[in-house]
Amino acid sequence: MPHVNVTIAGKSYRMACGPGEEEHLSALAKSFDDRITEMRGAFGEIGDMRLHVMASLTLADELHEARRRIADLERNAAQGAAEQARLAGGVGVAAERIDRLARALSGQPTGHASGKGEAERGN
């Protein structure tokens, strides 16, 4: 199992990860370290544990908001797909009506999708 050394708040940690995940884990650790550095600048030295908890809660809040937005987008997409299906059905009905009208105006019998009149079918 691969290992990565990461630095968070000035402390190094050796972390295990799956094969090929080394760069991703390093990037996550850097993002977390950046968040702690940002909060340290805003709040001063309030203790590493408190800064870590605050940074974790901030990231958890962002994740929660992202999940909520994804759920909203999925719900809107599903509603959009249902609306498209409803509209497509309406277009299909309209096309059938137009076809019947065209047949009626041209003197062809209605109700036959093949377009052949009774005489052409030999009836």
Side-chain angles (χ1 to χ4, degrees):
M1 177 172 279
H3 288 83
V4 176
N5 289 320
V6 299
T7 303
I8 297 173
K11 295 183 178 133
S12 292
Y13 301 91
R14 186 168 187 245
M15 308 294 294
C17 62
E21 295 179 350
E22 298 89 349
E23 286 185 38
H24 182 65
L25 181 58
S26 293
L28 290 173
K30 181 175 179 348
S31 175
F32 188 66
D33 183 56
D34 291 346
R35 184 65 57 108
I36 290 171
T37 300
E38 177 186 317
M39 291 185 140
R40 182 173 277 130
F43 300 112
E45 289 297 329
I46 59 172
D48 283 348
M49 183 59 75
R50 192 167 182 186
L51 280 172
H52 290 201
V53 169
M54 289 172 64
S56 296
L57 290 173
T58 301
L59 292 171
D61 181 53
E62 290 175 8
L63 177 60
H64 176 75
E65 179 63 18
R67 285 180 175 162
R68 186 193 63 75
R69 284 181 167 178
I70 288 169
D72 287 348
L73 289 171
E74 287 173 342
R75 189 171 31 262
N76 290 342
Q79 289 171 349
E83 181 67 11
Q84 285 180 349
R86 187 187 68 77
L87 290 173
V91 169
V93 168
E96 289 174 9
R97 288 179 181 165
I98 291 170
D99 185 52
R100 282 195 303 269
L101 271 172
R103 289 176 189 278
L105 291 172
S106 68
Q108 293 181 7
T110 59
H112 299 289
S114 67
K116 296 181 179 177
E118 300 255 340
E120 292 177 45
R121 286 195 305 271
N123 292 339

